[in-house]
Amino acid sequence: MASYKEIVTKAVIGKAKKTTTSSFSLTPNERPDTVLGCWVINHSFQGRSRGGAIIIDGEFDVNVWYSYENDTKTTVSSSRYQYSDRMNIRLKDDSPLTDSSEILVRSLKQPTVTNVNVDNGVVKLDIEKELGVEVVGNTKLKVPVEDLEDEYDEIYDEDDMNESLEQVDENYLD
């Protein structure tokens, strides 16, 4: 008859992804005429739990290449932006989100500039990113266990075997 044992282990107890588009603005030293290029670099982020939700704090640098003085000169202007995204993640099996829960955050789609325009000397940017979060916490597994006796194979040394063979009475059946 099988009995059951509970095993406590760490497992993914919640998983979600979220795509966000945020607007930012950049005021360069010169008055831009045309934006020639835009890119996002140095993206870093970290997740934490607060009030039953996951908060992802991150930052990235945005470089904007633009022309100025009636499109006769170009330069690049850089700025660092910070963000804070909130994610409500439904946890499996009504597991609680605790301080010991591990929050794993991955960038599923790197931040990308989706729209850029110049408005009265200010560069306006729309940046889209997709982040995935996994919550790792304690969970229990119930497994059936059979009560079996562990039987070991007996191992004989060759010297012991030779001694035993010498003690065999060859005339036993006579």
Side-chain angles (χ1 to χ4, degrees), residues 10-79:
K10 291 210 175 274
V12 174
I13 59 173
K15 190 174 185 177
K17 67 180 180 177
K18 183 178 183 180
T19 302
T20 58
T21 302
S22 304
S23 297
F24 300 94
S25 61
L26 174 82
T27 305
N29 295 333
E30 300 81 11
R31 186 177 177 87
D33 294 324
T34 307
V35 174
L36 304 171
C38 238
W39 57 98
V40 180
I41 60 173
N42 300 327
H43 183 211
S44 62
F45 46 84
Q46 183 175 343
R48 60 186 165 85
S49 64
R50 184 176 69 196
I54 305 299
I55 307 296
I56 303 168
D57 296 316
E59 57 187 11
F60 49 77
D61 295 328
V62 176
N63 296 318
V64 178
W65 177 36
Y66 61 93
S67 66
Y68 61 100
E69 290 187 16
N70 293 323
D71 293 328
T72 59
K73 295 182 180 179
T74 67
T75 191
V76 174
S77 185
S78 298
S79 188

Side-chain angles (χ1 to χ4, degrees), residues 7-150:
I7 299 173
V8 178
T9 187
K10 291 210 175 274
V12 174
I13 59 173
K15 190 174 185 177
K17 67 180 180 177
K18 183 178 183 180
T19 302
T20 58
T21 302
S22 304
S23 297
F24 300 94
S25 61
L26 174 82
T27 305
N29 295 333
E30 300 81 11
R31 186 177 177 87
D33 294 324
T34 307
V35 174
L36 304 171
C38 238
W39 57 98
V40 180
I41 60 173
N42 300 327
H43 183 211
S44 62
F45 46 84
Q46 183 175 343
R48 60 186 165 85
S49 64
R50 184 176 69 196
I54 305 299
I55 307 296
I56 303 168
D57 296 316
E59 57 187 11
F60 49 77
D61 295 328
V62 176
N63 296 318
V64 178
W65 177 36
Y66 61 93
S67 66
Y68 61 100
E69 290 187 16
N70 293 323
D71 293 328
T72 59
K73 295 182 180 179
T74 67
T75 191
V76 174
S77 185
S78 298
S79 188
R80 186 150 194 82
Y81 297 100
Q82 296 180 342
Y83 65 88
S84 185
D85 290 340
R86 178 183 175 96
M87 294 180 76
N88 294 318
I89 298 177
R90 189 176 68 229
L91 301 179
K92 297 175 184 173
D93 301 327
D94 296 323
S95 299
L97 184 60
T98 65
D99 291 339
S100 66
S101 298
E102 187 178 351
I103 312 298
L104 303 174
V105 183
R106 291 183 178 80
S107 180
L108 302 177
K109 180 183 176 202
Q110 291 295 328
T112 307
V113 178
T114 57
N115 187 31
V116 62
N117 60 42
V118 178
D119 183 20
N120 203 21
V122 177
V123 178
K124 302 208 180 225
L125 309 158
D126 290 334
I127 297 178
E128 181 181 274
K129 66 185 175 314
E130 184 175 47
L131 299 173
V133 174
E134 291 180 348
V135 178
V136 177
N138 289 332
T139 189
K140 290 181 183 179
L141 301 171
K142 192 176 264 190
V143 294
V145 178
E146 289 188 31
D147 296 328
L148 297 176
E149 291 183 30
D150 285 342

Side-chain angles (χ1 to χ4, degrees), residues 159-172:
D159 292 338
D160 292 339
M161 189 66 101
N162 288 336
E163 269 183 39
S164 297
L165 287 175
E166 288 175 7
Q167 294 176 3
V168 172
D169 182 12
E170 294 177 7
N171 298 322
Y172 175 73

